[in-house]
Amino acid sequence: MLSDPRDFPPLQPATIAVTAGRPPHEPDAPLNTPLTPASVFVAGGKREYGRYANPTWEPFEAVLGRLEGGRALAFASGLAAVAALLDLVAPGEVVVAPRHAYLGTLQQLATLEQRGRLRVRVVNVAETDDVVAACDDAAMVWLESPTNPALEVADIETIAARAHAAGARVVVDNTFATPLLQQPLWLGADIVMHSATKYLAGHSDAVLGAVVTQDDETYDALDGQRRLMGAIPGTLETWLAVRGLRTLHLRVERAQLNARSLVPRLQAHAAVSAVRYPGFGGIVAIELEGGAAAADTLTRSTRLWVHATSLGGVESTFERRRRWQSEPATIPDSLVRMSVGVEDVEDLWADLGAALDELTR
Ligand code: PLP
């Protein structure tokens, strides 16, 4: 973990998560930045209008910026952040993009290509040579690592070096890894993007997105675009996300511990034909011997595991991804993406194992 030069002496991520972006330690000051519902500010300062700035956004951006090692901007959602980033690509330019990624990202890319706005060159992000070969004459290399829901992992450092040599900028969707397990900017990426809806906020109660960059020109372009397009974060959402960020390290550590404990048990289970796990993080994907029907039965048969589409919250959720028509056909029909929460792992296994046992009867 590389620390941000602004943190001197260097601080560990857990300390940054807890302490960054707080009001100054002054008598009677609140420890937490209060929620400020304001559409307008008295003229003459830096804020002026609620579409340009809000003090409630600032601690969220401060904590995330320090954890990723850049300057952060919050957006209305992860997909609003994706749209802002793809808007940086000039008309007709090439974007190298993953074959598997969050389906909303893939749909944005496909829609923009259909409209003739940009050209998409699809790659498997885990095949470094293929990604590097695709970088020639590209304007942007879009990586998601690990990918949703296939859990492919990209060699960000090698790809970023080669993409830069070819003149392309590199974006990494770091939603699954979080800055605690992967810091793309320190690996050479130009921009990090998050669905803060997931681990960063962490409690399944806010939709929020973010971008982080070290490059001032890129930061200004994205800030300008946020003001103009209006995909600004909600005040309550950023406040909730800050509250979530304060325990990010505890939640990610526990979810990862739980996932690592569940993976070998899943691998050994007769109802499971394949387990995908990148070795880190709290997301696991399994395929089932009994196909899509077995997967659907599983997602209806548990008491603790909730059948739900999102991920990265404190609670364990799972979903058969191909229930969505637009999920790529290369994702196996029976693949169930599991977001392992922070509950007691033996309770989680008792619930999941019993539902899997039923499938083998
Ligand atoms: N990126 C990834 C990896 C995601 O999983 C998601 C949502 O599931 C998004 C982006 C989109 O974010 P949001 O739902 O906050 O718009």
Side-chain angles (χ1 to χ4, degrees):
M1 163 78 57
L2 273 161
S3 71
D4 192 310
R6 288 170 298 181
D7 291 317
F8 190 81
L11 296 174
Q12 295 300 313
T15 314
I16 294 169
V18 174
T19 62
R22 289 200 186 266
H25 297 181
E26 287 164 3
D28 279 345
L31 258 62
N32 297 296
T33 304
L35 205 150
T36 306
S39 61
V40 65
F41 303 90
V42 177
K46 284 206 193 111
R47 293 191 181 119
E48 296 277 2
Y49 186 53
R51 186 159 33 75
Y52 306 158
N54 184 295
T56 321
W57 304 351
E58 291 165 15
F60 172 77
E61 293 174 343
V63 182
L64 181 60
R66 276 181 156 56
L67 288 173
E68 288 286 11
R71 293 168 74 199
L73 284 163
F75 278 82
S77 65
L79 280 191
V82 173
L85 290 171
L86 292 179
D87 205 45
L88 296 175
V89 178
E93 284 187 331
V94 171
V95 177
V96 176
R99 60 174 184 163
H100 300 139
Y102 174 58
L103 65 86
T105 305
L106 297 181
Q107 283 172 324
Q108 281 200 24
L109 284 161
T111 307
L112 291 170
E113 185 169 48
Q114 275 157 24
R115 291 191 196 139
R117 172 64 183 76
L118 46 76
R119 288 179 289 150
V120 181
R121 204 170 279 156
V122 176
V123 292
N124 174 354
V125 297
E127 299 291 342
T128 307
D129 290 347
D130 293 352
V131 183
V132 166
C135 288
D136 263 349
D137 76 2
M140 182 179 276
V141 178
W142 188 284
L143 299 175
E144 192 175 288
S145 185
T147 58
N148 181 0
L151 298 174
E152 295 141 337
V153 174
D155 177 351
I156 296 171
E157 201 163 5
T158 305
I159 293 169
R162 303 294 291 274
H164 288 160
R169 66 168 126 203
V170 178
V171 178
V172 177
D173 183 334
N174 205 26
T175 300
F176 275 29
T178 82
L180 300 178
L181 304 178
Q182 175 172 277
Q183 291 176 297
L185 299 181
W186 296 115
L187 296 172
D190 302 281
I191 306 170
V192 166
M193 181 248 127
H194 278 279
S195 169
T197 312
K198 312 297 194 270
Y199 284 105
L200 301 185
H203 294 74
S204 310
D205 52 12
V207 173
L208 190 70
V211 299
V212 193
T213 182
Q214 292 171 344
D215 179 55
D216 289 340
E217 223 172 282
T218 305
Y219 177 93
D220 289 344
L222 291 164
D223 185 29
Q225 215 179 19
R226 182 175 69 172
R227 291 165 175 248
L228 196 61
M229 315 282 258
I232 57 165
T235 316
L236 176 62
E237 282 74 8
T238 41
W239 189 87
L240 286 166
V242 171
R243 193 177 169 115
L245 277 172
R246 299 297 183 206
T247 57
L248 180 68
H249 50 301
L250 303 176
R251 292 184 286 102
V252 168
E253 194 180 296
R254 177 60 176 264
Q256 178 170 267
L257 264 179
N258 283 354
R260 286 179 174 166
S261 166
L262 291 177
V263 163
R265 307 189 217 195
L266 289 163
Q267 281 164 339
H269 201 285
V272 178
S273 56
V275 179
R276 299 172 188 224
Y277 183 61
F280 62 94
I283 309 292
V284 181
I286 56 172
E287 293 164 45
L288 293 169
E289 286 290 352
D296 285 335
T297 305
L298 176 70
T299 57
R300 286 194 299 263
S301 311
T302 48
R303 193 165 58 91
L304 301 177
W305 291 79
V306 188
H307 185 209
T309 194
S310 197
L311 56 98
V314 288
E315 55 292 282
S316 293
T317 58
F318 58 178
E319 181 190 35
R320 183 172 78 82
R321 284 303 291 175
R322 286 284 300 283
R323 81 186 176 98
W324 299 99
Q325 295 282 312
S326 38
E327 189 70 38
T330 42
I331 296 300
D333 222 14
S334 78
L335 183 141
V336 175
R337 185 192 64 203
M338 309 172 55
S339 173
V340 182
V342 303
E343 304 91 334
D344 182 280
V345 73
E346 297 311 325
D347 287 342
L348 287 179
W349 178 246
D351 187 35
L352 186 65
L356 288 168
D357 289 349
E358 276 303 311
L359 297 177
T360 59
R361 285 187 219 288

